[in-house]
Amino acid sequence: MVERKPFYSADDIRHLEYQHSRPGEAPFLRGPFTQMYRHKPWTIRQYTGFANAEASNAAFKQTLAEGGQGLSVAFDLATHLGFDSDHPAAQADVARTGVAIDSVEDMKRLFAGIDLSRVSVSMTMNGAVLPIMAAFIVAGEESGVAREQLRGTIQNDILKEFMVRNTYIFAPKPSLRICADVVDYLSHALPNFNSMSISGYHFQEAGAEPALELALTLANARAYLDAISARGLDLDHFCHRLSFFFGVGMNFFDEIAKLRAARLLWCEEVEHRGARSDRAKRMKMHCQTSGWSLTAQEPHNNLIRTTIEAMAGVFGGTQSLHTNAYDEALSLPTEHSARLARNTQLILQQETGICDVADPWGGSYMMESLTQQMADKVRDYLRQIDAMGGILAALESGWVSEQIHGQALRAQSRIDNGQRPIIGVNRFVSDDEARPPVRAIDADEVLHQQRQRLQRLKETRDTSRVEAALADLTTAAASPTANLLAFTIEAIRARATLGECTQALLKQMRRHQADAHYLAGRYGLERRQDTQWRSVRREVDAYHQLLGRAPRALLVKLGLDGHDRGVRLVASGLKDAGFDVDISALFSTPEQVQRMLDSAPYDALGISLLSGAHLPLVEQLLNTLGPQSCDRLGVFVGGIIPDQDIPALTAMGVDAVFPPGSSMEAIIRKLITVLAD
Ligand code: 2CP
């Protein structure tokens, strides 16, 4: 958090260089446009997608009918990682956290009846950016919308995937080439399409405070500018289509300051590199309210949190906004919760007068001062990153992970010791709270349909044309000057699938696998004076005495779920409480987990799942391990687990389930009770 004074006065801003700047003028601290929301309010753009193309298409149409102003597609994890729905590795994850897209035919169904020349579409896609962008372009063409008319944004921000989000396919270097190919191609062929959404949101979700979130985002943006400029592209030709994406959490003043500072720093960066046009220098951004701030306990409180966060995004001058639904710590949003989330924005736009004035915080002693402090803090981080040799070097050295994880641990320890209040979680906890209904997806049915569709596609297409296009794509991957998006478009037009395009690329670029790790010592240090923590530590010590050695836990991530904030926090907490702890690599298979379990005398097995695929994945794992191993181990599951699934997990042999918001003490105490039983 940026340091605060008890009050601010004119003295705090007298020295500030930009205090007399205006919205719509460089350095754009006060907003990218002169009139801001008076001319056009931010776009209400809700991230949506589940099950199959038809179900998501219906949700899109409903969104647009009920006041949504742009679309934002959530793809399922199989699509993100370049697997067709019929791939064995993808079975449990198809259709759970987004829509399953295997081919251009699915993409056409996804937008059937929606005029793509009028509605702008954001697609959150990074790993499988080539086939998805290609399928969108071909779907547009085949429904009569020329490339120049297509409007929207592709996330295409792979670097942060290696730092936090983990939906990468290839290693960083070939991935950067793909990003640059996409920017290059779109800047010529789709002039109205934003070719990147350089994202800080996921850093914040993983634990970064606002200054670190912004610094890492800008450091990644610099790496992209280097890679794209190295091809000889002029900044004034492509920069105005590089867009940004930030999270907005409960740190109200800092979040507004962060968004204002972001525009200032971006303008300085591109000016320094020689950009001339205002279009290139003004940062445009999408914001999303914080998913991490949502609590599973008393979920209706999340409506209030989201409203406050949305206001920070708007006061910060965002161009587009997603407001989370109140039930997202429990499951995918229901129709009703999605409607309330959208209405939050409609009410802000239409009932409050907030849109009347550009940068309403401009001139506030405190806000101007905080904006400057935020910018200075970010500049400090950027200098540190430069000193390490740039963001790729900082990533490889482990610095990025350590910074984010360290801040996540600090936040968690402050929640667990009560210094950071979360109403309904560590203060004013209610005992008799009713859980709202959650949306259930029939993923098995979607899987069955997608398999049938893939089979039909393969039976009816011109196989030799597909094979030739895929061979060309493989050849292009070996040639650094070929544009891979151009070749992927030809393959997709020939009806190659997303998985086949990925396989064609994998013949030249191997699938990347990162190691998993956690920080030891930090959490315990934060809590060393805390009596609750000391008492938990004593319980672990007593159990240690009983066993004659430290209790040992293996924590695993199964399936295609790459969210690792929770598993790393729990690993750090258990370690500092006195356990020996190992964590598996992401995307582990049951066989890999079995091998790890066989390698050491583990007492507990923790499974972290936020993808909605907990029932099939836990079942597969426990079946593979067999009843003997399960009886010997304490088995616990953490993550987004709806209440109604807990009995089924218990019947499989799971000893305890921990939803988001579970305190470290609660986890450790339960574990010790189960193990000692
Ligand atoms: C807008 N315009 C204006 C004004 N406002 N012109 C003059 N005065 C104004 N006040 C113009 C713009 O220049 C633009 O024209 C057009 O109107 C549309 O406005 P925009 O500001 O570009 O809005 P937009 O089309 O909604 O685009 C917003 C973004 C775009 C931020 C630039 O990149 C975007 O929509 N991003 C969304 C990203 C997203 O949804 N991500 C999902 C993340 P021109 O185009 O001619 O300039 S979900 C992620 C999950 C959590 C995940 O990642 O895991």
Side-chain angles (χ1 to χ4, degrees):
M1 189 157 126
V2 171
E3 211 174 302
R4 300 258 200 287
K5 293 167 55 163
F7 76 96
Y8 290 78
S9 71
D11 289 341
D12 291 295
I13 63 165
R14 192 157 293 137
H15 63 289
L16 298 185
E17 208 179 325
Y18 301 114
Q19 58 170 311
H20 300 300
S21 74
R22 288 163 172 263
E25 289 176 5
F28 303 105
L29 178 150
R30 303 198 55 199
F33 302 112
T34 313
Q35 295 270 318
M36 287 298 286
Y37 305 143
R38 244 184 131 90
H39 175 81
K40 177 189 169 302
W42 69 90
T43 306
I44 300 176
R45 191 184 294 284
Q46 297 292 85
Y47 186 53
T48 310
F50 54 88
N52 58 14
E54 286 80 1
S56 299
N57 175 274
F60 289 165
K61 287 178 176 159
Q62 187 169 357
T63 281
L64 294 171
E66 291 180 352
Q69 297 153 355
L71 297 178
S72 174
V73 186
F75 296 98
D76 71 359
L77 286 169
T79 307
H80 273 288
L81 293 175
F83 294 115
D84 284 340
S85 300
D86 58 0
H87 193 287
Q91 299 308 283
D93 285 292
V94 169
R96 300 256 179 207
T97 54
V99 56
I101 298 292
D102 293 324
S103 72
V104 65
E105 297 300 341
D106 287 335
M107 195 65 100
K108 285 166 79 173
R109 277 189 282 272
L110 185 62
F111 295 111
I114 295 170
D115 181 355
L116 292 179
S117 68
R118 203 181 54 77
V119 179
S120 65
V121 176
S122 163
M123 290 182 288
T124 294
M125 181 50 69
N126 304 281
V129 65
L130 290 171
I132 285 298
M133 193 64 230
F136 184 75
I137 293 171
V138 176
E141 273 172 18
E142 293 185 3
S143 56
V145 184
R147 295 173 177 197
E148 305 75 51
Q149 291 177 292
L150 290 171
R151 295 174 50 228
T153 303
I154 183 89
Q155 195 164 85
N156 190 30
D157 168 18
I158 200 68
L159 289 176
K160 58 94 173 59
E161 300 294 328
F162 299 106
M163 300 170 180
V164 279
R165 195 165 173 275
N166 296 314
T167 56
Y168 46 73
I169 299 175
F170 312 106
K173 216 168 144 207
S175 295
L176 250 182
R177 179 241 172 130
I178 290 173
C179 284
D181 276 1
V182 171
V183 172
D184 195 347
Y185 188 93
L186 296 185
S187 74
H188 293 99
L190 277 77
N192 291 315
F193 213 86
N194 299 299
S195 53
M196 272 191 174
S197 178
I198 308 168
S199 308
Y201 179 83
H202 315 88
F203 296 128
Q204 176 160 157
E205 286 294 289
E209 291 181 0
L212 180 63
E213 174 197 354
L214 177 53
L216 293 173
T217 310
L218 290 173
N220 284 347
R222 285 174 163 187
Y224 294 131
L225 286 178
D226 290 343
I228 301 161
S229 298
R231 303 175 164 223
L233 251 67
D234 182 356
L235 289 167
D236 288 295
H237 175 66
F238 71 86
C239 256
H240 63 289
R241 289 295 171 208
L242 303 186
S243 164
F244 285 79
F245 170 31
F246 296 105
V248 188
M250 287 300 282
N251 203 340
F252 188 70
F253 296 137
D254 279 10
E255 293 293 10
I256 302 170
K258 176 185 77 185
L259 302 183
R260 300 174 92 239
R263 284 188 295 269
L264 167 70
L265 294 169
W266 177 241
C267 180
E268 285 178 357
E269 178 69 33
V270 293
E271 253 177 6
H272 170 72
R273 288 171 180 255
R276 297 170 306 277
S277 67
D278 273 358
R279 251 174 33 136
K281 294 181 202 170
R282 70 174 166 228
M283 173 190 274
K284 295 205 292 180
M285 63 177 73
H286 173 74
C287 285
Q288 177 164 339
T289 56
S290 161
W292 178 75
S293 72
L294 303 178
T295 61
Q297 300 84 344
E298 294 195 69
H300 288 103
N301 288 344
N302 296 328
L303 283 165
I304 301 153
R305 296 188 177 101
T306 297
T307 306
I308 293 165
E309 292 166 348
M311 287 173 70
V314 167
F315 287 143
T318 191
Q319 279 51 69
S320 166
L321 181 63
H322 169 102
T323 30
N324 288 325
Y326 72 88
D327 52 0
E328 286 185 60
L330 303 171
S331 188
L332 280 179
T334 61
E335 243 175 68
H336 179 244
S337 69
R339 184 178 167 82
L340 287 174
R342 197 164 47 239
N343 285 349
T344 307
Q345 295 196 49
L346 287 167
I347 290 167
L348 288 177
Q349 283 191 354
Q350 299 188 18
E351 294 187 18
T352 62
I354 277 177
C355 295
D356 292 349
V357 181
D359 188 31
W361 284 86
S364 148
Y365 301 139
M366 177 206 62
M367 187 51 70
E368 295 297 357
S369 178
L370 280 192
T371 303
Q372 184 68 38
Q373 275 177 278
M374 181 67 73
D376 288 343
K377 211 166 166 181
V378 172
R379 287 190 185 104
D380 273 352
Y381 275 127
L382 289 171
R383 272 192 288 274
Q384 284 184 58
I385 293 169
D386 275 349
M388 282 181 266
I391 194 67
L392 283 173
L395 170 66
E396 273 165 28
S397 73
W399 181 87
V400 173
S401 170
E402 190 180 330
Q403 295 297 312
I404 299 171
H405 188 36
Q407 293 191 356
L409 280 170
R410 190 172 140 72
Q412 190 61 45
S413 64
R414 294 184 73 240
I415 292 169
D416 289 344
N417 71 14
Q419 277 178 33
R420 178 168 174 169
I422 310 279
I423 305 306
V425 174
N426 62 6
R427 299 229 179 139
F428 309 108
V429 177
S430 161
D431 291 335
D432 59 346
E433 128 213 9
R435 289 293 178 107
V438 297
R439 187 195 286 268
I441 302 285
D442 189 348
D444 290 341
E445 176 55 27
V446 179
L447 183 62
H448 175 67
Q449 281 170 4
Q450 289 301 109
R451 278 191 187 140
Q452 283 188 326
R453 283 175 174 167
L454 276 164
Q455 198 181 336
R456 263 202 308 278
L457 181 91
K458 288 177 183 174
E459 283 164 4
T460 52
R461 65 189 184 176
D462 176 348
T463 311
S464 55
R465 187 177 160 208
V466 174
E467 283 170 359
L470 289 172
D472 288 348
L473 180 57
T474 304
T475 308
S479 154
T481 52
N483 190 300
L484 292 177
L485 181 54
F487 283 88
T488 313
I489 289 172
E490 292 314 315
I492 289 285
R493 190 181 281 124
R495 269 39 189 181
T497 66
L498 169 129
E500 288 169 334
C501 291
T502 307
Q503 279 306 319
L505 293 164
L506 282 168
K507 288 184 180 159
Q508 294 293 339
M509 312 166 168
R510 64 179 176 79
R511 199 175 266 279
H512 182 68
Q513 173 76 64
D515 293 333
H517 38 81
Y518 64 91
L519 284 178
R522 224 37 106 76
Y523 181 88
L525 191 69
E526 293 282 348
R527 300 206 58 193
R528 65 193 180 284
Q529 309 290 8
D530 181 340
T531 45
Q532 282 233 46
W533 177 248
R534 287 176 173 194
S535 118
V536 163
R537 284 220 49 167
R538 277 196 297 277
E539 286 178 40
V540 179
D541 281 348
Y543 187 61
H544 182 147
Q545 300 295 331
L546 199 74
L547 271 182
R549 59 169 172 80
R552 189 164 194 139
L554 174 64
L555 306 187
V556 300
K557 290 290 301 180
L558 300 175
L560 305 182
D561 174 19
H563 291 95
D564 59 357
R565 177 179 183 156
V567 75
R568 281 156 40 112
L569 282 176
V570 174
S572 299
L574 287 177
K575 177 77 185 167
D576 292 354
F579 277 69
D580 279 338
V581 185
D582 295 303
I583 57 179
S584 77
L586 291 172
F587 320 129
S588 289
T589 61
E591 292 70 28
Q592 286 166 331
V593 175
Q594 185 164 40
R595 278 197 293 278
M596 285 189 81
L597 284 171
D598 289 343
S599 70
Y602 288 103
D603 306 294
L605 172 66
I607 307 162
S608 161
L609 280 160
L610 289 93
S611 59
H614 42 275
L615 291 178
L617 287 173
V618 172
E619 187 171 27
Q620 274 169 28
L621 175 62
L622 297 187
N623 283 344
T624 304
L625 299 183
Q628 267 192 333
S629 299
C630 296
D631 288 348
R632 184 175 57 77
L633 290 164
V635 179
F636 62 110
V637 175
I640 300 183
I641 313 290
D643 286 351
Q644 68 262 30
D645 292 345
I646 294 176
L649 289 170
T650 310
M652 287 175 205
V654 171
D655 296 298
V657 174
F658 300 109
S662 305
S663 73
M664 208 68 85
E665 282 94 315
I667 295 172
I668 296 168
R669 283 221 162 90
K670 180 74 189 174
L671 209 56
I672 292 289
T673 315
V674 168
L675 296 183
D677 212 13

